[in-house]
Amino acid sequence: MSNRTSEVVLATEEVERVYRIDHQAIHALSRVTLEVRDGEKLCIMGESGAGKSTLLHLLGGLDRPSSGRVLLNGQNLYELPASKRASIRANDIGFVFQSYHLLPELDVLENVLLPAMSCRGFLARRDMLRGRALELLERVGLSERTLHLPSELSGGEQQRAALARALMNDPSIVLADEPTGNLDSRTGKHVLDYLFRLVNEQSRTLLIVTHNERIAEMCDRTLVLKDGTLLE
């Protein structure tokens, strides 16, 4: 379990997200206030369409709230310059998506290296970073698949590669959006085992959104998102 007295590293204050479609306002999130503490494993449960992915995108700097604040280590994420938010996404936050998002033309090792390639000084540190990528692939059981293309991997293997990619830049916070949503229960369990093991070893903060109750049992705390409103 995480230390509940540890500092808040990620928070929202009265966040709303409204989409406008054909002159109609769609309230994806309504006055969501949330605190995530350092090293905590927090699960947000909700049915499809509840607003889980929208909330995760706001927390990770991928989308902008219609109103309210998103705070990362006390800083308002959306008052920062776009270049600073991009740097935060690259270095401080790791994303694991339901659909893997591996680039089909790159092999597994290249896909894992992608986050590091976007950072300053990659060429000077290329050998060291390649070693880190290989280590991560070994940790998720893919040391024999480094030169394979994503199309040559099973769904579970692709998600494990995506997990390694999310951890490539050693982020302090991992955001996972239905990471087992496209997997059968047995394969999903293996992916979760890798995810929680890697998060626990480095005491990373994990926020995972899902409709899977078994995932909630693995976390320190669970909240429910229903129709865009966060419930205790």
Side-chain angles (χ1 to χ4, degrees):
M1 290 293 183
S2 65
N3 182 1
R4 297 300 299 278
T5 64
S6 59
E7 64 178 319
V8 174
V9 293
L10 191 59
T12 64
E13 295 178 350
E14 298 287 312
V15 159
E16 300 206 352
R17 185 64 174 100
V18 180
Y19 297 99
R20 300 195 177 275
I21 303 175
D22 296 331
H23 306 292
Q24 182 181 6
I26 307 298
H27 291 262
L29 295 173
S30 300
R31 302 181 65 181
V32 172
T33 294
L34 168 71
E35 290 186 345
V36 188
R37 298 186 176 275
D38 185 27
E40 181 176 24
K41 295 182 289 296
L42 174 63
C43 176
I44 297 181
M45 292 195 65
E47 298 299 324
S48 178
K52 304 188 303 299
S53 294
T54 299
L55 177 58
L56 213 64
H57 291 168
L58 295 180
L59 290 168
L62 296 173
D63 191 12
R64 180 178 291 273
S66 303
S67 63
R69 302 202 304 165
V70 177
L71 303 174
L72 177 66
N73 295 319
Q75 283 188 306
N76 188 341
L77 194 57
Y78 292 95
E79 286 184 350
L80 299 174
S83 59
K84 178 62 174 176
R85 283 201 307 278
S87 176
I88 287 171
R89 286 195 302 268
N91 295 290
D92 301 323
I93 300 174
F95 293 91
V96 183
F97 299 101
Q98 178 176 344
S99 299
Y100 323 138
H101 294 310
L102 300 176
L103 295 186
E105 68 274 17
L106 300 183
D107 64 35
V108 170
L109 178 60
E110 292 167 334
N111 267 285
V112 173
L113 274 168
L114 270 178
M117 290 179 184
S118 66
C119 296
R120 182 179 300 175
F122 169 74
L123 290 178
R125 299 184 299 145
R126 180 171 53 189
D127 290 343
M128 182 271 287
L129 292 169
R130 185 176 184 276
R132 172 167 173 76
L134 289 170
E135 178 186 355
L136 283 167
L137 285 168
E138 182 177 2
R139 300 283 298 283
V140 297
L142 292 177
S143 58
E144 304 299 320
R145 308 289 263 164
T146 58
L147 300 181
H148 288 72
L149 294 174
S151 60
E152 299 174 300
L153 272 58
S154 68
E157 288 172 330
Q158 289 186 62
Q159 190 60 299
R160 282 186 275 150
L163 173 56
R165 179 189 59 193
L167 297 178
M168 180 64 214
N169 287 347
D170 198 21
S172 58
I173 299 171
V174 177
L175 304 179
D177 188 356
E178 295 280 12
T180 62
N182 288 339
L183 306 174
D184 61 69
S185 58
R186 181 178 179 181
T187 304
K189 180 182 182 303
H190 290 155
V191 168
L192 288 174
D193 288 343
Y194 282 115
L195 171 60
F196 277 83
R197 184 187 310 157
L198 292 170
V199 166
N200 287 332
E201 285 175 355
Q202 298 296 323
S203 299
R204 292 182 175 92
T205 303
L206 172 66
L207 195 153
I208 186 166
V209 300
T210 184
H211 63 271
N212 186 332
E213 292 184 2
R214 194 170 66 81
I215 294 177
E217 295 172 357
M218 302 173 71
C219 293
D220 300 321
R221 184 164 59 107
T222 299
L223 301 174
V224 175
L225 193 63
K226 183 175 182 180
D227 299 329
T229 300
L230 196 61
L231 310 173
E232 290 289 342

